[in-house]
Amino acid sequence: MLAFTIRRLAQSILVMLVVALVSFALFRFVGDPVATMLGQEASVADRARLREALGLNDPFLVQFYNFITRAVQGDFGFSYRLREPVLPLILSRLPATLELALVSGTVAFVGGVGLGVYTALNRKGWLSSAIMTGSLIGVSLPTFLIGVLLIWVFAVELGWLPSFGRGQVVRFGWWSSGLVTPSGRAAIVLPAITLGLYQMTLIMRLVRAEMLEVLRADYIKFARARGLSQRAVNFGHALKNTLVPVITITGLQLGSIIAFSIITETVFQWPGVGALFINSVQAVDVPVMAAYLMLIAFVFVLINLIVDMLYYAVDPRLRVDRAAARH
């Protein structure tokens, strides 16, 4: 287990370095931050002084080395647009994005597993057919369109839920949460459904397919032959083995929820990191963009590492195969 963990950590560090190099190289071609900061009327001398102060005249490898050495220490530089340190700027908006992602992920996992199991056990019922048809709609519609439709129905026509913002939040140190206030809970409903609907349909269809495959396995037939109840067979044996591949997909989907929350945050004016990234792209704010991509890469790497550990702990075949390989 220790050797497995060390190998995964080494791979994770390599992935972070590659992501940092690619993102830092790409952002050199998105525009000139000096022109955005000073405007069109600035003199050539002013532009030259600012470029020198920002270190933009250094060779690419020197700039990348300085970026990495500072990033390891938690220093991602200053935002060109807001003139503030990047790390506190991201941390101030991170609770909103993580809270939205966790609520969306919970909705996607609970709803996906529940609906997947139901449609697998009742695959010939009319309700299962309706759910499967609805899942096709959820997969096909783009996220922004789902958000606009939800706003139109529940905020404009019915007036039940707010259409933008995060509501009232309560601070707990550096963390802020809207789940403890009525307006915060109401504000997160529509964004969470919008962001989690696509992932929920994917998890549901995966659970249904895996459940149907497991129910045809020989050990399920033997369990029924031993006289076990249908509930024990379905949930004690079939569902447990169905969740092994679902763990991997759910972990990656949680990373996708955080990474692709940009669209949802833009539609609902959610004050998260994704909205900050969109504004930074428009202003060619390279430090914020690079720090955001590093954050997303770190989230994916961390989730993938946790999923690998869980997969190793849940699936005994991996431990047996590695033990056999050593001997």
Side-chain angles (χ1 to χ4, degrees), residues 23 27 30 86 90 276-277 280-294:
S23 61
F27 289 146
V30 298
V86 172
I90 290 180
L276 176 66
F277 177 75
S280 300
V281 171
Q282 296 172 349
V284 199
D285 198 344
V286 178
V288 175
M289 291 189 289
Y292 174 80
L293 285 189
M294 290 288 290

Side-chain angles (χ1 to χ4, degrees), residues 57-186:
N57 293 328
D58 296 334
F60 170 76
L61 292 180
V62 175
Q63 294 184 44
F64 179 69
Y65 174 78
N66 293 333
F67 172 74
I68 289 297
T69 52
R70 291 196 301 264
V72 171
Q73 304 171 19
D75 181 12
F76 290 93
F78 280 78
S79 168
Y80 297 160
R81 180 174 62 95
L82 299 175
R83 310 293 199 276
E84 297 180 18
V86 172
L87 186 60
L89 191 62
I90 290 180
L91 290 179
S92 65
R93 290 173 171 257
L94 189 60
T97 297
L98 291 181
E99 187 171 85
L100 177 60
L102 290 175
V103 174
S104 301
T106 302
V107 170
F109 181 77
V110 174
V113 172
L115 292 176
V117 171
Y118 178 83
T119 53
L121 298 179
N122 304 275
R123 56 185 179 275
K124 295 183 179 179
W126 67 269
L127 183 56
S128 297
S129 300
I131 292 173
M132 295 303 297
T133 303
S135 69
L136 292 176
I137 299 175
V139 171
S140 303
L141 290 179
T143 302
F144 74 91
L145 183 57
I146 295 174
V148 171
L149 290 175
L150 290 178
I151 289 175
W152 174 57
V153 174
F154 294 100
V156 177
E157 296 295 333
L158 299 177
W160 292 351
L161 297 168
S163 61
F164 66 93
R166 197 182 174 195
Q168 184 182 2
V169 298
V170 176
R171 291 198 167 272
F172 303 95
W174 72 274
W175 184 269
S176 62
S177 175
L179 297 179
V180 295
T181 64
S183 62
R185 289 192 294 268

Side-chain angles (χ1 to χ4, degrees), residues 177-249:
S177 175
L179 297 179
V180 295
T181 64
S183 62
R185 289 192 294 268
I188 203 173
V189 172
L190 295 183
I193 295 175
T194 302
L195 190 57
L197 184 61
Y198 178 77
Q199 281 73 21
M200 184 180 71
T201 55
L202 290 181
I203 294 174
M204 183 199 74
R205 299 180 76 88
L206 174 65
V207 170
R208 181 179 184 275
E210 291 292 331
M211 190 82 170
L212 291 176
E213 185 68 24
V214 169
L215 288 174
R216 289 193 291 265
D218 291 336
Y219 66 89
I220 296 296
K221 298 177 183 177
F222 294 150
R224 288 172 177 160
R226 286 164 46 200
L228 295 179
S229 65
Q230 194 70 15
R231 182 184 182 87
V233 171
N234 291 336
F235 298 99
H237 291 73
L239 181 59
K240 180 180 179 181
N241 290 278
T242 297
L243 291 179
V244 173
V246 174
I247 291 176
T248 303
I249 299 299

Side-chain angles (χ1 to χ4, degrees), residues 9-48:
L9 286 174
Q11 294 172 358
S12 302
I13 294 174
L14 179 61
V15 169
M16 291 294 297
L17 289 175
V18 172
V19 170
L21 177 61
V22 172
S23 61
F24 198 80
L26 288 178
F27 289 146
R28 291 170 59 88
F29 304 101
V30 298
D32 186 8
V34 174
T36 305
M37 296 172 68
L38 295 181
Q40 299 295 328
E41 299 179 356
S43 65
V44 176
D46 291 338
R47 294 172 183 269

